[in-house]
Amino acid sequence: MSIGPIGTPIEILLVEDNPGDVRLTQEALKDGKVRNNMRVVKDGVEALKFLRREGKYAGMPRPDLILLDLNLPKKDGREVLAEIKGDEVLRCIPVVVLTTSRAEQDILKAYDLHANCYITKPVDLDQFITVVKSIEDFWLTIVKLPRRKGNDR
Amino acid sequence: MRFSNFVVIKQAVVGYIILLLADVLLNFGFVRRFFRLKEDYNQTNTGYIISASLLLGALFWVTDSVLGSLVFHAESSFLDLLALNIPPYEVYVRTFVILACLVGGLLSSKLLRGQRESDRALQESEEHYRNTMDASLAGIYIVQDLVFKYVNPTMAKLHGYEPEEIGNRLGPLDLIVPEQRDMVRRNFSRRAKGEPGKPYEVKAYRKDGSSFDAMVWGNPVTYRGQPASVWTLIDITERRRAEAKLKHTVADLERSNAELEQFAYVASHDLQEPLRMVSSYVQLLAQRYKGQLDADADDFIAYAVDGANRMQALINDLLTYSRVGTRGKPPEPTDCEAVLDQALANLQVAIEESGAVVTHDGLPTVMADDSQLVQLFQNLIDNGIKFRSEGPPRVHVSAKRLPLPQAGEGRGGGGSEWAFSVRDNGIGIDPEFFERIFIIFQRLHSREEHPGTGIGLAICKKIVERHGGDIWVESEPGKGSTFFFTMRSET
């Protein structure tokens, strides 16, 4: 069940600094079930600007789902997560933390900051693809996302 | 009575009285000095008594003769005359007198000797205690009314004084730093009143003005009939210094551990990411260009991907290995039966797939980090399953109590140990490799034969050694292996 008017693609924001991972994620989502637009920002500062539609991001739609890597330059993924979940308007957007780290302290910290879920990127390509597709299955088809009200704040 | 018999008896009695007299007299200091006897002369020495007696005897004979001629104007001795010419009643008087001398002599001799012996015992006892106090490593001193009544040499030396210097000019409070004097004064009076107390610390002055840390303990005592207190003092500067150093070292160690942990975390984290790039894109290549590449290319890709996967396993294992030290918990009583259950639960899949049977005897409670102990059992049992021979793997776990280690052996602390054994019916190990298998990443087989990075036993060894135990193996190729390790018992 996609949100919004039928046929509107899902907006996904990928916050990832590694172009290799960006490309992998794009490839993995390419043959997905649900039509989606993936937009990419390379660091935490850009991510927040995008979300607040500042500067060059003025006309951007609000994402329906955020895929967030933890280790980012400039502003760290954890700080971005804290800011998103601390913002009244932004906090309803589900954030999937997708990162290399398997460390318990990272997992705990992420959930503590109210990440919606935490996924470790697998080394194996097939597994990576499976994971991304599962994200798509779960968050975009099974889960009910909050209604996006057009272009308002 | 015939005259000659009487004379013999008389001489014998007189002789005996003289011996007694000599013994009595030898109790007196001036007599002993006359005969040049040592002050500690403590046994009646026959020789001396005889010589003393002879002297006395001579003296007596002279007196007797003089008295005889002077008093009775005769030529025989006084006693002879008394004996020969006595009216009946006087016999009794004189017998009584003689008996009285006998008894008196005996008694006084005993008394005097007893007195001498108790004097001597007292002196010995005093010397004994004085020697003890002088030889003590601790300072010992007696304080009465805030004045030193006794100071042992060590006490003087600890404060940098000669024994004579302390006591007269200095009082105990002079040797204490000013801010503690009130407390110390109160303690002196409390002890003197009979209140017991515990050892406590003071800062004391030396002659050169420097101060040192000391521990003192006082007890009530009576000195010359008046209440006082007796104290022992030990210099604990060295101890304090060692404690501070230890705290420093521990802090350093903790910091070093934290750094190591940080390093291991960052290293593994940052190493994984490029690894993923290599692995993922090579696989993407394979998928995207399937059919357009030849068989060689497929092989090349397979090797590349396999390499990346192994690298990742190695990184993870390295991280686990380093965390045995940096993330270890202090040992607590741990029930090994529960630990074994957990390990078997973790190995569920491997056990089912291989049809392995794992048995165990009753297992004790030991002092250990429980999660590390699970890891230890798990690795050993997993090896038993992995390195199997033809039939289904059989693994048996048991424990045996070891006798107490001798005093002075390395591991320190009392209590006994348990020796655990994990026995399998697998392929066995050549004795040549008994040491090598515990080295990190050392393997004895190719990856096709048996999977694994070769870190399982290295981790086991690190865990066992962290708990102060030993680990070793007994095995023969083709006859299975038994791994042994020791753990400290709960007591």
Side-chain angles (χ1 to χ4, degrees):
Chain A
M1 290 143 270
S2 49
I3 58 159
I6 310 262
T8 319
I10 307 282
E11 294 289 336
I12 300 178
L13 175 64
L14 173 62
V15 188
E16 170 67 68
D17 66 322
N18 177 3
D21 271 328
V22 171
R23 183 66 188 269
L24 277 178
T25 314
Q26 281 170 337
E27 294 293 329
L29 279 175
K30 225 187 241 183
D31 346 292
K33 293 186 199 145
V34 181
R35 281 181 59 213
N36 58 76
N37 282 341
M38 193 170 82
R39 304 188 197 264
V40 183
V41 289
K42 288 204 301 264
D43 64 56
V45 172
E46 292 297 301
L48 287 164
K49 276 201 206 150
F50 183 100
L51 289 168
R52 294 185 178 126
R53 301 190 212 166
E54 289 168 10
K56 63 180 179 191
Y57 301 113
M60 288 296 155
R62 175 144 293 129
D64 300 305
L65 182 67
I66 302 177
L67 302 178
L68 177 63
D69 183 30
L70 282 186
N71 284 41
L72 299 167
K74 292 193 203 153
K75 216 169 214 163
D76 179 65
R78 297 164 198 83
E79 286 181 63
V80 174
L81 180 58
E83 274 194 50
I84 293 176
K85 292 301 176 180
D87 182 308
E88 275 184 7
V89 177
L90 298 176
R91 69 185 177 203
C92 60
I93 307 174
V95 177
V96 173
V97 171
L98 191 66
T99 186
T100 326
S101 172
R102 195 177 298 192
E104 298 79 19
Q105 65 251 39
D106 286 335
I107 301 177
L108 191 63
K109 187 92 190 287
Y111 278 116
D112 208 37
L113 293 169
H114 307 291
N116 294 78
C117 73
Y118 184 105
I119 297 179
T120 317
K121 294 179 200 166
V123 171
D124 184 72
L125 175 69
D126 285 336
Q127 287 184 19
F128 184 85
I129 294 178
T130 309
V131 162
V132 172
K133 287 213 154 81
S134 307
I135 292 174
E136 192 196 18
D137 284 346
F138 185 72
W139 285 99
L140 303 187
T141 58
I142 298 172
V143 163
K144 284 205 176 307
L145 291 172
R147 271 192 117 62
R148 181 172 24 117
K149 299 176 231 127
N151 266 342
D152 56 9
R153 296 201 112 256
Chain B
M1 195 186 293
R2 286 167 48 106
F3 175 71
S4 54
N5 287 348
F6 179 76
V7 167
V8 167
I9 294 172
K10 180 205 80 177
Q11 304 293 22
V13 165
V14 167
Y16 185 68
I17 293 177
I18 289 174
L19 276 170
L20 281 178
L21 265 175
D23 195 21
V24 167
L25 285 174
L26 282 168
N27 280 307
F28 291 96
F30 65 88
V31 172
R32 297 218 303 282
R33 276 194 288 280
F34 179 81
F35 284 98
R36 302 214 206 305
L37 291 172
K38 292 202 271 290
E39 277 308 310
D40 61 350
Y41 165 84
N42 59 5
Q43 268 181 348
T44 33
N45 189 313
T46 331
Y48 287 114
I49 292 188
I50 289 176
S51 54
S53 315
L54 283 174
L55 205 61
L56 278 173
L59 206 63
F60 180 79
W61 181 80
V62 166
T63 321
D64 199 25
S65 306
V66 165
L67 273 179
S69 57
L70 279 180
V71 170
F72 291 99
H73 308 291
E75 281 171 18
S76 44
S77 84
F78 178 64
L79 266 181
D80 285 339
L81 288 170
L82 282 178
L84 294 174
N85 296 319
I86 44 175
Y89 74 91
E90 284 190 22
V91 173
Y92 298 117
V93 170
R94 277 151 203 172
T95 316
F96 177 75
V97 166
I98 292 172
L99 280 176
C101 288
L102 270 170
V103 170
L106 273 169
L107 277 177
S108 55
S109 172
K110 283 261 177 304
L111 272 171
L112 283 171
R113 188 174 309 146
Q115 178 66 44
R116 245 188 341 113
E117 273 184 15
S118 77
D119 277 346
R120 185 189 27 91
L122 183 67
Q123 192 184 22
E124 267 188 18
S125 165
E126 274 209 18
E127 265 184 48
H128 171 71
Y129 280 109
R130 185 158 289 259
N131 288 339
T132 307
M133 299 226 269
D134 285 349
S136 166
L137 260 183
I140 301 178
Y141 51 105
I142 296 178
V143 172
Q144 188 176 60
D145 300 330
L146 297 181
V147 169
F148 279 124
K149 291 297 179 185
Y150 168 74
V151 171
N152 82 336
T154 310
M155 175 69 175
K157 199 155 52 138
L158 283 175
H159 289 274
Y161 288 95
E162 294 302 313
E164 315 81 59
E165 290 180 282
I166 272 192
N168 288 335
R169 294 180 288 116
L170 289 167
L173 290 182
D174 297 324
L175 294 175
I176 305 286
V177 296
E179 50 270 22
Q180 292 183 337
R181 283 184 189 155
D182 280 336
M183 167 185 75
V184 170
R185 182 183 302 125
R186 266 182 276 127
N187 283 331
F188 280 140
S189 75
R190 280 207 199 108
R191 296 296 162 276
K193 288 204 190 98
E195 259 180 65
K198 289 201 286 266
Y200 64 95
E201 264 186 65
V202 292
K203 222 174 182 54
Y205 281 124
R206 291 201 194 90
K207 182 176 184 180
D208 61 7
S210 62
S211 65
F212 65 98
D213 294 313
M215 179 143 292
V216 297
W217 185 40
N219 281 297
V221 85
T222 309
Y223 185 77
R224 305 260 164 93
Q226 297 297 315
S229 47
V230 62
W231 296 78
T232 32
L233 177 148
I234 48 176
D235 182 340
I236 56 173
T237 338
E238 271 315 304
R239 188 191 350 168
R240 284 273 166 272
R241 203 171 292 154
E243 282 174 7
K245 187 158 180 219
L246 190 68
K247 215 190 297 188
H248 223 77
T249 308
V250 165
D252 274 348
L253 214 69
E254 285 180 349
R255 197 170 30 85
S256 165
N257 263 3
E259 280 176 10
L260 229 74
E261 168 73 5
Q262 174 74 0
F263 175 78
Y265 168 78
V266 162
S268 73
H269 202 270
D270 293 338
L271 287 173
Q272 305 254 23
E273 200 253 316
L275 207 54
R276 276 186 34 254
M277 292 297 105
V278 168
S279 177
S280 305
Y281 278 101
V282 163
Q283 287 175 69
L284 209 49
L285 261 179
Q287 287 181 12
R288 194 60 61 83
Y289 296 98
K290 193 181 284 225
Q292 298 177 40
L293 296 170
D294 62 359
D296 279 349
D298 288 337
D299 286 344
F300 299 163
I301 288 169
Y303 286 128
V305 170
D306 179 62
N309 286 339
R310 279 189 293 117
M311 175 89 163
Q312 208 214 13
L314 283 171
I315 291 173
N316 283 332
D317 284 345
L318 213 56
L319 204 55
T320 312
Y321 182 77
S322 80
R323 281 184 174 160
V324 170
T326 57
R327 286 224 183 149
K329 300 187 298 235
E332 278 184 8
T334 307
D335 174 16
C336 292
E337 304 245 347
V339 162
L340 185 63
D341 286 340
Q342 176 68 53
L344 293 178
N346 293 346
L347 291 170
Q348 180 101 354
V349 174
I351 291 176
E352 280 173 9
E353 279 181 359
S354 62
V357 176
V358 182
T359 51
H360 66 94
D361 297 336
L363 298 177
T365 302
V366 297
M367 296 301 287
D369 171 336
D370 58 354
S371 50
Q372 289 190 347
L373 205 57
V374 169
Q375 181 86 57
L376 175 60
F377 277 109
Q378 196 175 319
N379 284 6
L380 291 175
I381 297 171
D382 193 25
N383 278 356
I385 297 174
K386 250 197 302 198
F387 295 95
R388 53 183 292 193
S389 45
E390 278 163 18
R394 302 184 74 83
V395 181
H396 183 72
V397 183
S398 69
K400 189 172 62 164
R401 203 173 197 124
L402 289 181
L404 291 167
Q406 300 302 316
E409 271 188 21
R411 268 181 246 118
S416 56
E417 290 187 316
W418 288 92
F420 290 81
S421 68
V422 178
R423 193 179 67 237
D424 66 57
N425 62 344
I427 53 178
I429 305 166
D430 194 315
E432 183 186 342
F433 303 124
F434 280 178
E435 310 268 318
R436 226 174 88 176
I437 51 177
F438 290 104
I439 298 177
I440 192 170
F441 294 147
Q442 285 292 323
R443 294 169 43 85
L444 299 179
H445 309 276
S446 69
R447 262 180 309 283
E448 287 85 46
E449 292 169 350
H450 295 102
T453 53
I455 203 168
L457 285 175
I459 290 182
C460 291
K461 180 165 186 232
K462 201 167 190 216
I463 291 176
V464 166
E465 284 175 356
R466 187 179 167 259
H467 286 83
D470 282 327
I471 185 167
W472 70 98
V473 64
E474 284 174 15
S475 176
E476 255 187 76
K479 299 221 176 102
S481 315
T482 311
F483 282 85
F484 296 93
F485 64 92
T486 55
M487 278 278 152
R488 215 169 293 166
S489 163
E490 187 189 8
T491 45

